[in-house]
């Protein structure tokens, strides 16, 4: 049955799990196929052409598994590859930047919005473009935080080192009097308590990935693609190009799944 096909999620590593977590909460009937390109993470500092190539490799891998919808659960990949992939493949494709921008505009009262993301995302200017296209008066201050992803991938996101790095990196944004801050990298919600603490409780944090699931839900309705089968256990399959153990440690804790199967695959890259 077409509707029982899984939803595919791709990211450079474990970041997209923050999007999957929200999918499991809002859409518990859906089967999930996830691919994290951990062996080549981070994507943030890589040239756009390379990120596009890697994103296509991940996309082709999941298309062969017969997914019904693709979520590019990575801001860096969304910034450079979403439009091309959307126009080329014949299933719905969603990125994380438009939903995040929309949520920020909805949340902000002062129109002073911050964006934190990888070097690639910040360099692309995608969030500024989205925000200003819709609300030209928005003040946007963007900051690349290249040290955050390695902290998360090495499972140190609760450590005192993480606190120090986050606090030091975000210092320039604290002077900007922002009322809303977009976590424009799907890895960052794992650092959320620290980011919130550093920015102050009054700043509204936007989790772009989680916002994306609202759009996924809308698209499933629109295309009549919802899976209404109430099976006792839903299949959630995880692939990584890196170490399954490392991936599993983070994923089982974050998603609260004990028997999580993680399979290593090769995408034929580096
Ligand atoms: N999680 C990704 C993002 O949302 C990419 C992190 C990286 O590989 O640099 O941008």
């Amino acid at each position: 049955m077409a509707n029982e096909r899984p939803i595919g999620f791709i990211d450079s590593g474990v970041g997209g799990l923050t999007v999957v977590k929200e999918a499991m909460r809002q859409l518990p009937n859906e089967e999930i196929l996830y691919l994290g390109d951990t062996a080549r993470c981070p994507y943030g500092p890589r040239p756009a052409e390379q990120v596009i190539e890697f994103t296509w490799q991940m996309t082709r891998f999941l298309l062969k598994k017969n997914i019904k919808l693709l979520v590019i659960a990575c801001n860096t990949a969304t910034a450079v590859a979403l439009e091309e992939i959307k126009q080329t493949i014949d299933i719905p494709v969603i990125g994380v930047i438009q939903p995040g921008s929309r949520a920020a505009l909805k949340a902000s009262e002062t129109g002073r919005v911050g964006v934190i993301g990888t070097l690639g995302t910040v360099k692309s200017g995608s969030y500024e473009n989205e925000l200003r296209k819709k609300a030209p008066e928005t003040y946007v201050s963007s900051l690349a935080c290249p040290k955050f992803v390695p902290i998360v991938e090495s499972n140190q996101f609760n450590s005192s080192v993480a606190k120090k790095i986050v606090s030091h990196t975000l210092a320039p944004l604290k002077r900007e009097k922002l009322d809303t801050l977009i976590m424009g990298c799907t890895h960052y919600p794992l650092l959320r308590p620290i980011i919130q603490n550093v920015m102050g409780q009054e700043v509204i944090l936007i989790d772009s990935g989680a916002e994306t699931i609202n759009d996924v839900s809308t698209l499933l309705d629109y295309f009549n693609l919802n899976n209404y089968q109430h099976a006792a256990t839903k299949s959630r399959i995880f692939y990584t190009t890196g170490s399954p153990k490392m991936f599993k440690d983070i994923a089982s804790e974050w998603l609260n799944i004990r028997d999580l199967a993680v399979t290593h695959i090769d995408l034929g890259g580096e």
Side-chain angles (χ1 to χ4, degrees):
M1 287 280 290
N3 292 11
E4 286 157 39
R5 286 150 65 204
I7 299 176
F9 293 82
I10 52 176
D11 180 48
S12 63
V14 294
L17 294 172
T18 62
V19 191
V20 166
K21 188 174 175 131
E22 187 64 17
M24 286 169 55
R25 198 178 71 79
Q26 284 193 42
L27 302 164
N29 270 340
E30 298 299 331
E31 313 240 305
I32 287 167
L33 264 190
Y34 184 96
L35 170 56
D37 191 9
T38 322
R40 301 186 292 195
C41 187
Y43 279 10
R46 294 181 183 275
E49 301 70 44
Q50 198 176 42
V51 175
I52 295 171
E53 186 192 328
F54 291 176
T55 309
W56 266 116
Q57 289 174 356
M58 292 194 286
T59 302
R60 282 191 210 104
F61 178 85
L62 288 191
L63 283 177
K64 282 196 200 121
K65 308 266 174 207
N66 203 20
I67 52 171
K68 63 180 174 186
L69 185 145
L70 175 69
V71 181
I72 304 185
C74 172
N75 291 263
T76 316
T78 298
V80 294
L82 173 69
E83 280 316 310
E84 186 180 312
I85 292 178
K86 208 157 116 180
Q87 279 164 31
T88 313
I89 69 176
D90 57 8
I91 55 168
V93 185
I94 303 193
V96 285
I97 292 178
Q98 283 179 332
S101 307
R102 228 181 284 132
L105 291 176
K106 185 174 169 196
S108 178
E109 282 183 7
T110 61
R112 296 183 69 83
V113 176
V115 180
I116 50 174
T118 67
L119 281 168
T121 301
V122 169
K123 218 165 63 190
S124 76
S126 302
Y127 273 103
E128 281 97 322
N129 291 344
E130 279 305 321
L131 292 163
R132 295 222 183 93
K133 250 189 327 198
K134 290 214 167 85
E137 301 300 310
T138 313
Y139 171 81
V140 187
S141 178
S142 304
L143 181 71
C145 307
K147 292 191 175 148
F148 290 8
V149 169
I151 302 176
V152 173
E153 286 287 332
S154 58
N155 204 353
Q156 293 187 75
F157 48 91
N158 289 319
S159 66
S160 56
V161 179
K163 276 184 201 144
K164 245 186 234 151
I165 290 177
V166 172
S167 151
H168 184 253
T169 309
L170 297 185
L173 277 189
K174 288 204 57 164
R175 296 189 278 273
E176 294 269 16
K177 296 197 167 51
L178 310 166
D179 77 340
T180 304
L181 178 65
I182 301 175
M183 294 185 285
C185 170
T186 52
H187 282 74
Y188 298 177
L190 286 118
L191 291 163
R192 182 177 195 134
I194 304 179
I195 295 173
Q196 186 79 68
N197 212 21
V198 168
M199 292 306 293
Q201 298 306 318
E202 67 288 355
V203 174
I204 302 163
L205 294 187
I206 302 292
D207 180 340
S208 289
E211 295 297 335
T212 301
I213 297 303
N214 303 338
D215 284 24
V216 171
S217 190
T218 306
L219 277 188
L220 291 177
D221 290 342
Y222 185 82
F223 289 109
N224 277 324
L225 280 173
N226 285 289
N227 184 350
Y228 291 129
Q229 294 293 318
H230 297 277
T233 50
K234 285 286 163 188
S235 112
R236 324 242 187 246
I237 300 175
F238 297 87
Y239 296 99
T240 173
T241 57
S243 145
K245 156 123 185 42
M246 199 74 173
F247 188 97
K248 190 178 169 180
D249 285 349
I250 299 175
S252 17
E253 189 189 328
W254 182 249
L255 301 177
N256 207 4
I257 306 179
R258 244 206 235 139
D259 298 316
L260 185 127
V262 183
T263 308
H264 172 88
I265 57 136
D266 257 324
L267 282 176
E270 291 172 357

